Amino acid sequence: MIIVKLMGGLGNQMFQYAAAKSLACMHGVEVRVDLSYLNADSKGSYTPRRYDLSIFKANVKIAEQSDLKPYIKRYTKLSRLLRREMPSLFKNLYVVERGIKYHEAFTKFPKNTYLDGFWQSEKYFENYREQIKSDFTISKPLPIELEDIFNKIKSTNSVSIHVRRGDYVTLKSANDFHGLSTLEYYQTSIDIISEKCKDLELFIFSDDIEWCRQRFDFKLPKHFIHHTYEACWDMFLMSNCKHNIIANSSFSWWGAWLNQNPNKIVIAPKNWFVDKTLNTDDLIPREWIRL
């Protein structure tokens, strides 16, 4: 059994599940998710989140306390070193992600592994791409009020623009770590796609859509998507646009990754975090443009 600790919002949970699912597929075992972190009191140090994967068709099972028991241990420095360098020696392996880069030892993790980390790279699950895409199909019908905008997206040379603000603005720890994409980033991204594609229409998604209305003066037809529905539908609509301009956000990363257009242009921020020394080479797929 592969168990993964869920942390963060929908996009983060999708990364964590996708990595665990691929490892489970590799071993022919089931995957379960540990909700203990989501259920804990954040004490104001991070944004509280809820379990969000239930919106998908994936048959996600919740880990029981009995499933977690083999991994609740105290480890010596030597055992931690061995678990990191020689994971195949262990019957039950608890793995804490180290850094942001893809872990080359991932495929050596045994069939009974607990994953603790964010696992933000498609390298963890690219061999099971179709399975992951299937699992992340929304299980509900499209809300009636979104049918017109969905049809508009499908019938035009649509470009999604995602602007992440929310706790990136209101929570100091989040702002200090993630930072915000600039207006210049979005304008330059639009210019790049405009050089390659004609008759573009912009579809703007944000958790602060009024801020976008006041500041986005792009000289192209634009639609500000103001919603009262579940946020997953923003991701769904972004994934159906022809091209994507994403924020430094796992939410819009998935909107672009799930985009099935074989000729899509995806532009992502070069600096995903405020700390520019953090190596994010494995976070952004090779074919995307980093700006």
Side-chain angles (χ1 to χ4, degrees):
M1 179 188 305
I2 306 299
I3 301 175
V4 63
K5 177 182 179 181
L6 293 189
M7 300 181 285
L10 176 59
N12 283 322
Q13 292 177 38
M14 291 170 71
F15 270 117
Q16 291 147 18
Y17 170 82
K21 178 69 174 185
S22 69
L23 190 59
C25 288
M26 196 183 309
H27 288 297
V29 298
E30 69 175 356
V31 58
R32 295 193 177 187
V33 296
D34 177 11
L35 304 186
S36 57
Y37 187 87
L38 294 179
N39 294 333
D41 183 357
S42 69
K43 300 185 185 301
S45 60
Y46 56 89
T47 304
R49 300 293 188 179
R50 65 182 184 183
Y51 172 62
D52 284 327
L53 298 181
S54 58
I55 62 172
F56 296 122
K57 289 184 177 180
N59 181 22
V60 184
K61 295 183 179 180
I62 310 302
E64 304 286 346
Q65 194 61 34
S66 58
D67 299 324
L68 304 176
K69 190 174 180 180
Y71 304 98
I72 303 174
K73 298 177 181 178
R74 295 179 66 88
Y75 297 118
T76 65
K77 288 184 179 180
L78 176 59
S79 69
R80 283 196 293 268
L81 176 63
L82 289 173
R83 286 171 185 275
R84 184 169 68 249
E85 302 298 332
M86 306 177 71
S88 58
L89 292 178
F90 296 87
K91 180 180 179 181
N92 297 300
L93 182 68
Y94 188 108
V95 182
V96 178
E97 184 183 29
R98 292 169 58 86
I100 301 169
K101 284 185 66 61
Y102 170 72
H103 291 240
E104 298 292 343
F106 183 79
T107 56
K108 299 177 182 177
F109 296 163
K111 64 180 180 180
N112 294 304
T113 296
Y114 183 106
L115 298 174
D116 183 347
F118 288 96
W119 315 103
Q120 293 183 330
S121 173
E122 72 167 352
K123 290 184 177 182
Y124 291 113
F125 47 86
E126 61 184 347
N127 289 338
Y128 298 93
R129 177 181 295 268
E130 296 309 313
Q131 175 68 62
I132 298 303
K133 286 183 177 180
S134 176
D135 281 1
F136 288 154
T137 302
I138 297 177
S139 59
K140 301 178 181 180
L142 181 71
I144 294 175
E145 63 268 28
L146 294 180
E147 288 180 357
D148 286 347
I149 197 70
F150 173 74
N151 291 332
K152 188 74 172 176
I153 283 172
K154 298 298 285 186
S155 63
T156 62
N157 207 1
S158 50
V159 180
S160 76
I161 296 178
H162 183 239
V163 181
R164 171 69 185 272
R165 288 179 59 78
D167 59 347
Y168 281 18
V169 175
T170 61
L171 188 64
K172 185 178 186 302
S173 59
N175 183 269
D176 290 345
F177 185 70
H178 293 284
L180 295 164
S181 298
T182 65
L183 292 174
E184 180 183 10
Y185 160 74
Y186 289 108
Q187 182 62 70
T188 304
S189 298
I190 292 169
D191 292 343
I192 289 173
I193 298 178
S194 295
E195 290 176 359
K196 303 173 183 293
C197 307
K198 303 300 180 184
D199 302 319
L200 300 178
E201 292 202 23
L202 309 178
F203 294 81
I204 300 164
F205 302 83
S206 179
D207 51 10
D208 190 352
I209 202 68
E210 292 307 316
W211 184 92
C212 298
R213 288 183 190 275
Q214 294 170 19
R215 290 165 177 80
F216 282 2
D217 189 27
F218 308 129
K219 306 304 181 184
L220 287 170
K222 48 189 177 292
H223 309 268
F224 295 91
I225 314 303
H226 182 75
H227 61 75
T228 57
Y229 46 84
E230 293 174 285
C232 65
W233 291 112
D234 272 2
M235 185 183 291
F236 171 80
L237 292 173
M238 285 191 285
S239 74
N240 278 280
C241 289
K242 304 297 189 302
H243 312 288
N244 309 96
I245 299 170
I246 72 172
N248 54 335
S249 160
S250 58
F251 185 87
S252 52
W253 187 101
W254 280 103
W257 192 85
L258 292 170
N259 183 347
Q260 306 267 15
N261 177 17
N263 300 312
K264 67 184 179 183
I265 299 171
V266 180
I267 300 182
K270 182 177 181 180
N271 298 317
W272 199 262
F273 304 107
V274 171
D275 184 353
K276 297 179 182 179
T277 66
L278 293 175
N279 189 326
T280 58
D281 289 348
D282 294 333
L283 194 155
I284 305 300
R286 292 179 294 275
E287 62 272 20
W288 295 8
I289 298 171
R290 303 187 67 171
L291 183 61

